[in-house]
Each structure stands twice: as structure tokens, then as C-alpha cells.
């Protein structure tokens, strides 16, 4: 597993063709697989609630492309930041949408294989080696874990069939029991100290 740094993610996006940026954004900031990202349509974005509905995926087949349901158990609604919906809105304005289904990415439907090649070109232009589209998904997962989300919440956002899958992939990123115990005890000490300060202030008053 290779988790790109924020600097690498930004560099790749900066050097990518403008039409590719929605792909990079929904992989890095909503955790979509490349086939799921290729399949996002305008109607999947709830602009007011700030969510993206992962309702389908595109898969390359010999001589054709198939639009099909996401991987088993992976259909989901992902809460996303306002900055992501703003980027998608800007892409609609500046680049446009594609086909009668209003795909965010070129093609009807878009081709994950072609998008992967454009991704590789952006990496080369940015001078970033060893990054795959799936690593952007790892980037997203690692950010959720670093922010304190539990395995159940991460699994739901990632579209994993169960938290056990999440833990099998990302167990090394979750704080261990000793870290959690230490942090909980530190919180207890801080709250006790605050209470003592309040009591002292009341007595002096």
C-alpha cells in the first residue's frame, strides 16, 4: 500500500487535464474506486445535503464497457465536504458534462482504463512515482482514521462489506489500545485539573 501525501495529491491534480480533476477529487475526498468514480453522474450529487450517491460502476469488458451495480455491498451515500461539491460545480461550469446521462467524465460511459492512462500521465507530469488511482482511496481512508473515525464509520464511507475488511486493510493506521488508554487517561487528568481550578477560584471568591 502506498498512501500519497497531501502534497503529492495536490501536485497530481495541478498537472492533470481539467477534465480529469473530478475523478481525482471523488477518489481522494470521497473514497471512490476508479470504476465508481467513472460512473458518477450529476444526479448522484445532492448539492444541499453535500453527499455523493455511489449507485453504479463502469467496468471495461473486451470490446465494450459495462455499467453495473457497485461491488457487492458497496452502494452507499457518502457525506462530502463543501469544497468537493464546489469543485464538481466548477467542473460542470468550466468543462461541462458528457452524454445524455450527464457523466462528470468524458465518455458515454467513461472508460476506467482510459482514465487510468490519463491518471498516469498526470503523475508523470507531476514527478510523482509509484501512485495508482486506488492509492487515492487509501489517502481518503487514512484521513478518516487520522481524524478519529471508528472502523464502522470508515467501512460505511468506503463501501466495505464489513468493518472486519476495513481493519484487515488499515489496522496499522488505527491507534492501538495503549494509545487510546493513554489518551483517555490524559483527558481525565485534564478534566480533573480544570475542576480543581474552578473550585479554587470559587473559594478565593
Amino acid at each position: 500500500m502506498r498512501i500519497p501525501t497531501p502534497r503529492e495529491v495536490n501536485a497530481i491534480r495541478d498537472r492533470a487535464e481539467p477534465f480529469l480533476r473530478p475523478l481525482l477529487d471523488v477518489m481522494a475526498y470521497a473514497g471512490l474506486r476508479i470504476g465508481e468514480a467513472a460512473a458518477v453522474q450529476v444526479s448522484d450529487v445532492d448539492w444541499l445535503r453535500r453527499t455523493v450517491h455511489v449507485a453504479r460502476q463502469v467496468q471495461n469488458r473486451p470490446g465494450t464497457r459495462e455499467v453495473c451495480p457497485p461491488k457487492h455491498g458497496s452502494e452507499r451515500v457518502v457525506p462530502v465536504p463543501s469544497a468537493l461539491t464546489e469543485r464538481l460545480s466548477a467542473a460542470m461550469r468550466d468543462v461541462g458534462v458528457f452524454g445524455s446521462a450527464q457523466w462528470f467524465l468524458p465518455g458515454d460511459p467513461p472508460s476506467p482504463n482510459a482514465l487510468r492512462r490519463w491518471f498516469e500521465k498526470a503523475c508523470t507530469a507531476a514527478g510523482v512515482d509509484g501512485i495508482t488511482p486506488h492509492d487515492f482511496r487509501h489517502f481518503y481512508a487514512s484521513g478518516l482514521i487520522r481524524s478519529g473515525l471508528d472502523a464502522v464509520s470508515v467501512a460505511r464511507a468506503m463501501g466495505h462489506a464489513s468493518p472486519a475488511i476495513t481493519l484487515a486493510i488499515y489496522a496499522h493506521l488505527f491507534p492501538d489500545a495503549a494509545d487510546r488508554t493513554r489518551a483517555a487517561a490524559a483527558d481525565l487528568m485534564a478534566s480533573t485539573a480544570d475542576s480543581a481550578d474552578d473550585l479554587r477560584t470559587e473559594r478565593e471568591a
Side-chain angles (χ1 to χ4, degrees):
M1 180 191 302
R2 164 89 150 83
I3 299 176
T5 66
R7 185 173 182 176
E8 289 173 326
V9 169
N10 286 331
I12 293 168
R13 188 181 189 278
D14 286 345
R15 300 306 299 270
E17 295 290 338
F19 71 79
L20 190 69
R21 288 172 182 164
L23 175 86
L24 305 177
D25 289 336
V26 297
M27 291 191 303
Y29 305 114
L32 274 62
R33 303 172 177 91
I34 190 169
E36 296 170 342
V40 175
Q41 301 170 353
V42 172
S43 60
D44 296 323
V45 182
D46 188 322
W47 307 96
L48 293 178
R49 292 184 175 86
R50 293 171 296 163
T51 61
V52 173
H53 182 198
V54 183
R56 69 195 71 79
Q57 63 176 326
V58 181
Q59 292 190 345
N60 286 100
R61 304 294 188 192
T64 188
R65 293 188 291 276
E66 178 185 352
V67 180
C68 53
K71 197 174 177 180
H72 179 67
S74 290
E75 182 171 351
R76 60 201 184 277
V77 175
V78 183
V80 297
S82 297
L84 177 55
T85 57
E86 288 165 7
R87 285 186 177 184
L88 293 176
S89 178
M92 291 172 59
R93 180 192 67 229
D94 299 337
V95 179
V97 295
F98 302 88
S100 59
Q102 295 192 307
W103 311 98
F104 273 99
L105 295 155
D108 196 12
S111 165
N113 285 353
L115 294 170
R116 190 174 283 106
R117 289 192 291 271
W118 283 104
F119 178 91
E120 292 167 356
K121 289 181 181 179
C123 289
T124 299
V128 178
D129 296 323
I131 296 291
T132 70
H134 205 72
D135 291 330
F136 270 45
R137 182 168 155 84
H138 295 321
F139 172 80
Y140 173 74
S142 68
L144 298 185
I145 294 167
R146 191 167 53 250
S147 294
L149 265 70
D150 58 87
V152 172
S153 299
V154 176
R156 188 177 298 120
M158 298 290 287
H160 290 155
S162 75
I165 295 173
T166 307
L167 289 170
I169 300 171
Y170 300 112
H172 63 291
L173 299 179
F174 282 95
D176 63 21
D179 291 333
R180 292 194 298 270
T181 302
R182 192 174 294 112
D187 288 344
L188 282 173
M189 289 188 72
S191 64
T192 303
D194 290 343
S195 297
D197 289 340
D198 292 343
L199 182 59
R200 191 176 300 111
T201 300
E202 289 175 5
R203 286 175 176 172
E204 290 174 352

